[in-house]
């Protein structure tokens, strides 16, 4: 067997992730991407409307706790559709700037001092997080007969980790 060098290995792994021709993403990937863009923008809005230092720290800790995993998962979902390299990097860059754009928008809106707009933004933000949590729980219940105990324990463990993370943030900020 021929031993491949480092350059050859990285070339092969890159070729398996990216496609060679431009094509549209599948509907599930496109939908997930758009939802994640909206969610990132709303996270930025939430950060921009927080008025207390402890609230900012809590939100940064909460988002910082799951954002790396979310970004990794989004990249894995993209890889199923084998995007061309330039499109992948544009989409990842747009995803990365959505939260700062949301923060800038919230700061601008808060200067207008329209509390109705801030209330609507806060409601959308909370609703998004509640929806995502309920959606994950519904998937777990829908698959309760098909998943083995290891999968159930994994999902429950991650849920409890998230609850524990948020409780820790609440305790630190109180």
């Amino acid at each position: 067997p021929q031993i491949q060098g480092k350059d050859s290995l990285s070339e092969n792994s890159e070729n398996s992730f990216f496609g060679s021709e431009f094509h549209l993403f599948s509907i599930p990937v496109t939908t997930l991407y758009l939802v994640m863009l909206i969610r990132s923008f709303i996270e930025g809005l939430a950060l921009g409307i927080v008025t207390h230092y402890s609230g900012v720290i809590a939100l940064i800790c909460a988002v910082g706790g799951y954002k790396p995993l979310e970004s990794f998962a989004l990249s894995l979902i993209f890889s199923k559709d084998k995007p061309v390299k330039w499109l992948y990097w544009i989409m990842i860059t747009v995803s990365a700037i959505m939260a700062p754009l949301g923060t800038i928008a919230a700061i601008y809106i808060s200067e207008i001092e329209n509390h109705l707009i801030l209330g609507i933004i806060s409601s959308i933000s909370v609703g998004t997080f509640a929806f995502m949590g309920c959606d994950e729980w519904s998937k777990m219940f829908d698959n309760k007969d098909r998943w083995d105990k290891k999968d159930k324990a994994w999902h429950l463990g991650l849920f409890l980790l998230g609850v524990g993370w948020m409780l820790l943030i609440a305790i630190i900020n109180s």
Side-chain angles (χ1 to χ4, degrees):
Q2 184 180 12
I3 298 174
Q4 293 181 334
K6 183 179 178 183
D7 292 335
S8 178
L9 285 175
S10 65
E11 235 176 71
N12 288 339
S13 63
E14 184 177 305
N15 287 339
S16 66
F17 184 87
F18 295 110
S20 58
E21 294 181 16
F22 173 77
H23 62 277
L24 297 176
F25 282 103
S26 64
I27 291 179
V29 171
T30 304
T31 303
L32 177 69
Y33 179 71
L34 292 174
V35 167
M36 298 309 269
L37 286 181
I38 293 167
R39 183 172 178 215
S40 291
F41 187 79
I42 290 172
E43 289 167 354
L45 287 172
L47 185 60
I49 64 174
V50 175
T51 58
H52 299 292
Y53 179 73
S54 62
V56 171
I57 297 300
L59 193 55
I60 287 173
C61 289
V63 171
Y66 71 82
K67 202 56 148 172
L69 297 172
E70 179 183 282
S71 299
F72 178 71
L74 188 59
S75 292
L76 288 178
I77 297 295
F78 282 168
S79 72
K80 290 180 181 179
D81 277 3
K82 303 256 186 228
V84 290
K85 191 185 284 188
W86 64 266
L87 179 60
Y88 170 80
W89 286 111
I90 288 172
M91 292 178 77
I92 291 297
T93 302
V94 169
S95 177
I97 65 172
M98 288 309 287
L101 287 176
T103 303
I104 292 167
I107 291 170
Y108 176 74
I109 290 169
S110 66
E111 287 179 2
I112 298 173
E113 294 186 17
N114 188 341
H115 298 291
L116 177 62
I117 292 173
L118 292 177
I120 291 169
I121 291 169
S122 296
S123 299
I124 292 170
S125 179
V126 169
T128 302
F129 287 116
F131 171 77
M132 297 296 279
C134 292
D135 184 55
E136 285 301 313
W137 271 98
S138 71
K139 286 178 190 173
M140 193 166 95
F141 284 114
D142 286 345
N143 294 312
K144 69 181 177 189
D145 298 331
R146 288 176 267 174
W147 288 357
D148 61 8
K149 289 182 180 179
K150 183 180 176 183
D151 286 336
K152 290 176 186 176
W154 178 250
H155 277 264
L156 180 61
L158 290 176
F159 171 76
L160 293 175
L161 178 67
V163 169
W165 181 257
M166 297 310 290
L167 285 174
L168 181 64
I169 291 169
I171 290 168
I172 290 172
N173 286 318
S174 59

